Amino acid sequence: MASLKRDKGLDNTLKVMKQGYLYTTNQRNRLNTTVFETKALGGKPFVAVTGKEGAEMFYNNDIVQREGMLPKRIVNTLFGKGAIHTIDGKKHIDRKALFMSLMTEGNLNYVRELTRTLWRANTQRMESMDEVNIYRESIVLLTKVGTRWAGVQAPPEEIERIATDMDIMIDSFKGLGGVFKGYKESKNARRRVEDWLEEQIIETRKGNIHPPEGTALYEFAHWEDYLGNPMDSRNCAIDLMNTFRPLIAINRFVSFGLLAMHENPITREKIKSEPDYAYKFSQEVRRYYPFVPFLPGKAKVDIDFQGVTIPAGHGLALDVYGTMHDETLWDDPNEFRPERFEDWDGSPFDLIPQGGGDYWTNHRCAGEWITVIIMEETMKYFAEKVTYDVPEQDLTVDLNSIPGYIKSGFIIKNVHEVVDRK
């Protein structure tokens, strides 16, 4: 077996944060290798892997562990202590079944209807605004979609605050390197949302509030694990939040989607004229633009991979962005081309913006289907139901920054409803 090539340095965390989504690609090119070792997060060794073969290895539960590998700052701000993302084995499979039980045909149809209805209802508000920052506007609207879908009580006057807290938590990825001045703010935002949801869990169990059966609030409040024990109310609140927080993070994809339509005008016409094009367009947005950069794991055993041995106990980093821009998997990966999904085989190991592998046994996001539905309906809305202008602004997407954003957030003006008055 060949020896692992290394990106030298006692701790390359700052280098990772400076190069962002391109760090692993840059090092692979520099070292002329497909797999290499680096040190990060306090000098811990990580082997960076990419591509379909890397994802297949990473999601093999027999040889790779996920539990305990998320950085504490991300656990404390984004996912929550004790969240499903932080456990493995039977406990993970048991709790994942609860998440997956929400993905019924009725619930998926309902989130489609909610998205369609709430965007249409939001038209008049946007028409009255001098300019609309799509990044900000969509996080508020998606907070309405997510909370209503989950069955939680979110008073209209609280939506803005809840949306802001969610955005602060989601933005905590940037705290991976060095001192993060917003860390305390992120923890406080999480505490406020956890307090709010835990109160609803407790009141549901007492019978004081009555969410409909089949909603996330109802199912989580009444769930028992494989030993017959209910979930601790705080932990229940944390995972209840994890049923709809990913829906709110879709605001990144929404702003990216409008940027893609702006830069590729033909796609707007195809969304309006071709029945399945909104689906292909949404998938390409998820593949093309930066979202999750890497995912961490740990080798349970010595792993022989692509001619090298990854020692047991070594950290693993799956290059998510690099996999979705791998030219051996995708033709012209740096071109935005929705048509590539006409013949896509649905592999769980190449399109992995929200994780890969099996939904039931791996850490793949249970809400991925909902993400696609929300994106389809949102893109149809902006292509078909409204017109708007795109003023001069900074539309840069900086791949050296984690998480990825459009610098301006994507601003539109002069929004008008499309009405056929003939």
Side-chain angles (χ1 to χ4, degrees):
M1 303 292 285
S3 60
L4 269 168
K5 293 186 178 181
R6 292 175 172 82
D7 182 20
K8 296 178 181 179
L10 295 175
D11 190 331
N12 293 315
T13 303
L14 186 58
K15 185 176 180 180
V16 172
M17 297 307 294
K18 284 185 174 180
Q19 297 186 21
Y21 292 87
L22 299 178
Y23 168 74
T24 52
T25 299
N26 291 343
Q27 304 321 308
R28 285 195 303 272
N29 292 339
R30 182 176 65 84
L31 297 169
N32 192 27
T33 184
T34 57
V35 54
F36 68 93
E37 182 182 272
T38 189
K39 290 184 177 180
L41 301 177
K44 299 174 184 176
F46 284 86
V47 176
V49 299
T50 191
K52 182 178 276 190
E53 189 176 351
E56 288 174 344
M57 180 270 287
F58 187 82
Y59 286 106
N60 183 337
N61 292 333
D62 293 332
I63 61 175
V64 175
Q65 170 186 325
R66 300 290 301 282
E67 187 170 356
M69 293 306 295
L70 285 167
K72 287 185 179 179
R73 284 187 178 183
I74 298 299
V75 172
N76 291 340
T77 56
L78 182 62
F79 297 117
K81 294 180 180 179
I84 188 171
H85 310 79
T86 66
I87 59 175
D88 272 339
K90 190 171 183 178
K91 286 184 178 180
H92 176 265
I93 292 173
D94 189 36
R95 210 185 300 175
K96 190 62 176 289
L98 170 60
F99 279 80
M100 294 304 296
S101 73
L102 301 174
M103 300 302 130
T104 63
E105 183 178 357
N107 268 340
L108 295 178
N109 287 337
Y110 183 52
V111 81
R112 186 181 294 278
E113 178 187 339
L114 270 177
T115 305
R116 185 184 299 148
T117 300
L118 290 178
W119 273 120
R120 291 295 297 271
N122 200 58
T123 303
Q124 187 174 7
R125 167 184 155 85
M126 292 193 294
E127 287 178 329
S128 70
M129 298 168 71
D130 291 335
E131 63 178 33
V132 181
N133 185 311
I134 290 298
Y135 178 93
R136 181 62 195 170
E137 192 71 11
S138 58
I139 201 169
V140 174
L141 185 132
L142 292 172
T143 298
K144 296 177 182 178
V145 172
T147 53
R148 188 161 176 182
W149 177 83
V152 300
Q153 297 182 353
E157 65 273 14
E158 293 292 308
I159 286 293
E160 289 269 357
R161 180 189 62 77
I162 296 167
T164 298
D165 282 344
M166 290 288 191
D167 193 39
I168 291 170
M169 283 186 277
I170 295 164
D171 206 34
S172 62
F173 256 111
K174 67 185 179 186
L176 283 174
V179 177
F180 178 35
K181 65 180 180 180
Y183 181 54
K184 183 177 180 180
E185 184 183 12
S186 295
K187 287 184 68 176
N188 288 339
R190 168 161 283 281
R191 176 185 49 76
R192 286 191 294 269
V193 178
E194 285 182 7
D195 288 347
W196 164 61
L197 292 176
E198 184 178 23
E199 181 182 4
Q200 294 198 42
I201 290 288
I202 292 170
E203 292 303 305
T204 298
R205 288 173 173 173
K206 287 180 178 179
N208 293 331
I209 60 176
H210 306 279
E213 188 171 349
T215 61
L217 175 56
Y218 179 94
E219 299 301 330
F220 274 70
H222 294 91
W223 181 75
E224 295 180 349
D225 65 17
Y226 63 93
L227 297 175
N229 300 316
M231 209 185 309
D232 170 80
S233 61
R234 192 64 171 192
N235 205 41
C236 195
I238 288 168
D239 266 353
L240 173 61
M241 191 197 312
N242 284 325
T243 66
F244 64 88
R245 174 189 48 74
L247 278 66
I248 297 167
I250 298 170
N251 78 310
R252 275 87 175 150
F253 286 139
V254 171
S255 57
F256 287 143
L258 265 65
L259 174 62
M261 267 198 281
H262 176 65
E263 294 183 339
N264 304 273
I266 188 63
T267 61
R268 175 187 300 274
E269 299 308 313
K270 289 186 175 183
I271 289 172
K272 289 193 284 188
S273 62
E274 297 180 20
D276 296 329
Y277 199 80
Y279 165 80
K280 292 179 282 191
F281 180 90
S282 300
Q283 294 288 45
E284 180 68 344
V285 168
R286 296 172 67 236
R287 184 201 69 83
Y288 182 81
Y289 290 99
F291 193 60
V292 174
F294 327 103
L295 289 169
K298 182 168 69 174
K300 292 181 180 179
V301 297
D302 288 352
I303 302 173
D304 293 333
F305 179 73
Q306 294 186 347
V308 300
T309 298
I310 302 172
H314 253 50
L316 292 165
L318 175 63
D319 181 4
V320 174
Y321 181 83
T323 296
M324 295 189 297
H325 289 77
D326 184 344
E327 60 186 14
T328 68
L329 296 177
W330 309 96
D331 293 334
D332 300 316
N334 294 316
E335 291 186 12
F336 186 85
R337 189 186 299 169
E339 288 77 9
R340 72 177 76 246
F341 285 98
E342 288 177 0
D343 301 314
W344 179 55
D345 63 5
S347 169
F349 301 113
D350 53 15
L351 183 66
I352 54 171
Q354 293 165 275
D358 178 71
Y359 287 103
W360 293 85
T361 60
N362 289 127
H363 285 256
R364 187 169 192 147
C365 179
E368 187 172 9
W369 298 325
I370 289 178
T371 298
V372 176
I373 288 170
I374 289 176
M375 278 297 293
E376 284 182 295
E377 292 304 320
T378 301
M379 294 304 102
K380 288 178 183 177
Y381 168 77
F382 280 101
E384 300 173 358
K385 304 302 180 184
V386 290
T387 60
Y388 53 85
D389 297 327
V390 180
E392 287 292 322
Q393 59 191 284
D394 188 350
L395 296 176
T396 303
V397 178
D398 185 2
L399 295 177
N400 296 124
S401 176
I402 298 175
Y405 295 100
I406 302 170
K407 286 287 182 69
S408 65
F410 200 85
I411 294 168
I412 61 175
K413 300 177 69 173
N414 301 322
V415 178
H416 293 290
E417 183 179 16
V418 173
V419 180
D420 184 358
R421 300 185 184 278
K422 294 180 181 179

